[in-house]
Amino acid sequence: MIYCVEDDNSIRELILYTLRASGFEAQGFDSGEALFAALKECRPQLILLDIMLPGMDGTEILKALRSGSATRSIPVIFATAKGTEFDKVNGLDLGADDYLTKPFGMMEMVARVRAVLRRVSPKEQNTKLVVPPMEMDISAHTLKIDGNPVELTLKEFELLKLFMETPGRVYAREQLLERIWGTEYYGETRTVDVHIGTLRTKLGSCGEYIRTVRGVGYRLEKHL
């Protein structure tokens, strides 16, 4: 899935049409607010991000993406009418993976998307975490328990991924807020408790693996 954040409807629709015709799944948004709402449900392979947006601009969106553990590794290509060397360098320094200057050709855009995906794919290829009977495939963003698929939201998946990467380690609620929701998130630790509750429910009997450490937070126990 490729996400495109572009407030110009005609440009956004052309980009989406080209991506879909090139074999990609693609979804478009006209603002950062709409993008972050979608990120709660699905983690895309790449984001095409316009810099000049109403409200939260592209640089602010990128900073927010890079500050959260759930989104910091998503590749981002900046697309903007700004074409000075300073703007390009500034965008790359902020963490963008590539840069397209408007007006750009659709075939050039597809080539850049494929090139970025080739660069990042080896990092996550065949990456699996196993805490029997749970098996998580990070690259495919899937979870199976006893071979049966379990559907998780993005935050639930990232929480479980963190626990499975570091079984036995205790995380305070504040640490989980920072790791999963990012330093820009101004929520309450109750948010963590609610997500842990829904995650435990979806994991069934494996939900008991996530133990509450009274007065501190949570940890994953491999053997109960």
Side-chain angles (χ1 to χ4, degrees), residues 64-83:
L65 290 170
R66 294 299 182 244
S67 71
S69 64
T71 56
R72 66 166 56 105
S73 64
I74 299 174
V76 174
I77 297 178
F78 264 156
T80 180
K82 288 188 174 183

Side-chain angles (χ1 to χ4, degrees), residues 27 29 50 59 92 125 156 179 210:
Q27 190 172 350
F29 310 96
D50 188 29
T59 56
L92 295 172
Q125 192 172 14
E156 291 165 352
R179 289 285 196 104
I210 302 175

Side-chain angles (χ1 to χ4, degrees), residues 6 11 14-15 50 79-83 99-109 112:
E6 166 62 64
I11 294 176
L14 178 58
I15 290 173
D50 188 29
T80 180
K82 288 188 174 183
Y99 199 106
L100 283 166
T101 303
K102 296 179 180 177
F104 52 82
M106 291 297 102
M107 291 303 99
E108 177 191 2
M109 176 198 68
R112 295 285 190 91

